[in-house]
Amino acid sequence: MKRLAKLGALAALLSVGACGVQPTEGAVPAGTAPFLPATGTESDTLVLYFVLDGRVTSVTRPASGPVPVGKALSVLLRGPDFEARANGYGTELPWANGQIGSDDQDPRRMAISVPFPVRTLSANAVNQLTCTATTAATRLNRVSYYVADFRLNGSDGSIASKGCLTN
């Protein structure tokens, strides 16, 4: 009986290996990613990016629908709530009082204006802004996309960002 079970397992392995797909060397390019609709009840949560153990990490909060980018960034700049702080989340963004603006109409370009200097922000702080903005725009517009041209405008000028790069 054991011998029959072993032969059955061997036959199954051989049939999987003979599926007709040829191995390739490295990745095969397939073009750019398509625009994909967002799914489920994602619009019922606000996703913010804070720092945990030196890494930019997402935190969700309840929302009553899609949250505009500017509003999401305003909430981000208030920092982690009590529960998130108790769980070790922090921020590398400066405290700010003032207007936050966003131009997120073109899914390939985005600009964020903040009321503090941006040229001296840490990589984590830049990612907190870009990841929160990109996620909010994705949920608001109900499509997934990659922002190729991301600008942060602050009181000391402007910097370019490569977009959301969590580590």
Side-chain angles (χ1 to χ4, degrees):
M1 197 61 137
K2 284 185 181 180
R3 187 172 200 193
L4 194 54
K6 286 182 182 179
L7 284 175
L10 181 59
L13 281 173
L14 288 174
S15 68
V16 170
C19 65
V21 176
Q22 299 298 316
T24 60
E25 293 281 329
V28 177
T32 59
F35 287 81
L36 300 173
T39 59
T41 58
E42 292 174 341
S43 64
D44 294 341
T45 58
L46 169 61
V47 180
L48 304 170
Y49 287 80
F50 293 111
V51 179
L52 177 66
D53 297 328
R55 295 176 172 218
V56 175
T57 306
S58 65
V59 172
T60 59
R61 292 189 185 167
S64 59
V67 178
V69 174
K71 172 87 169 151
L73 292 172
S74 293
V75 174
L76 174 72
L77 291 179
R78 288 186 214 135
D81 61 13
F82 178 79
E83 182 181 347
R85 277 193 313 274
N87 287 316
Y89 291 90
T91 185
E92 292 186 13
L93 291 166
W95 183 87
N97 188 16
Q99 277 298 93
I100 298 165
S102 68
D103 177 3
D104 57 341
Q105 299 306 308
D106 181 346
R108 301 283 179 216
R109 297 180 179 178
M110 186 178 293
I112 298 171
S113 298
V114 292
F116 50 80
V118 293
R119 293 178 184 255
T120 56
L121 290 176
S122 68
N124 278 344
V126 170
N127 280 326
Q128 284 184 256
L129 290 167
T130 56
C131 293
T132 298
T134 302
T135 302
T138 298
R139 288 167 179 246
L140 187 64
N141 298 319
R142 300 206 43 84
V143 295
S144 296
Y145 56 80
Y146 171 74
V147 178
D149 180 20
F150 206 108
R151 306 241 15 113
L152 293 175
N153 304 310
S155 60
D156 64 343
S158 179
I159 61 171
S161 171
K162 293 180 180 166
C164 183
L165 303 172
T166 59
N167 45 2

